[in-house]
Amino acid sequence: MSLSTHVLDTATGTPAKDVPVRLSRRAAHGFVPVAEGRTDADGRIREWSPLGREWDPALDPRPGTYRLVFDTAAYLGDDAFFPEVSVVFAVREPGGHYHVPLLLSPFAYSTYRGS
């Protein structure tokens, strides 16, 4: 089971480097942060840094509801129209690979389930 993400700057056609991303899992009382990462020179996060004991890279992502929060202001600057992008998705297949890309421009974004 694995989770990756990729941020592409669609205005420039290049990867978005150094975008901070936080991963949370839904719990009974709301979303709990479980890991974080920063996009590399290719705009990707392949490995996550666990936050506390809630995240076990050997087991996760377990089935459930997750949220990726992209700090797009860190990449686009203080004038970003969308200073943060939140993507909520469901993990249903244990053992599957989940890739959640973000296509980003100064005034728009989109996402999809990648491979």
Side-chain angles (χ1 to χ4, degrees):
M1 208 178 288
S2 63
L3 172 68
S4 60
T5 190
H6 179 216
V7 182
L8 179 66
D9 183 329
T10 58
T12 63
T14 60
K17 181 182 176 189
D18 288 329
V19 177
V21 183
R22 181 162 284 193
L23 174 67
S24 300
R25 180 185 306 133
R26 182 177 281 159
H29 60 281
F31 283 94
V32 176
V34 292
E36 63 186 3
R38 211 173 190 63
T39 57
D40 62 15
D42 195 32
R44 297 179 184 277
I45 298 177
R46 294 175 178 96
E47 294 184 26
W48 298 89
S49 298
L51 296 172
R53 297 182 331 182
E54 290 289 318
W55 178 259
D56 181 354
L59 299 174
D60 288 305
R62 289 173 250 167
T65 302
Y66 290 81
R67 178 174 64 192
L68 287 170
V69 177
F70 298 84
D71 181 358
T72 53
Y75 175 75
L76 295 171
D78 293 334
D79 292 334
F81 186 72
F82 297 106
E84 180 178 280
V85 173
S86 177
V87 178
V88 178
F89 60 99
V91 169
R92 304 227 190 279
E93 305 163 17
H97 174 69
Y98 290 83
H99 182 65
V100 183
L102 179 68
L103 305 176
L104 179 65
S105 74
F107 298 100
Y109 67 88
S110 65
T111 188
Y112 58 96
R113 180 176 179 181
S115 59

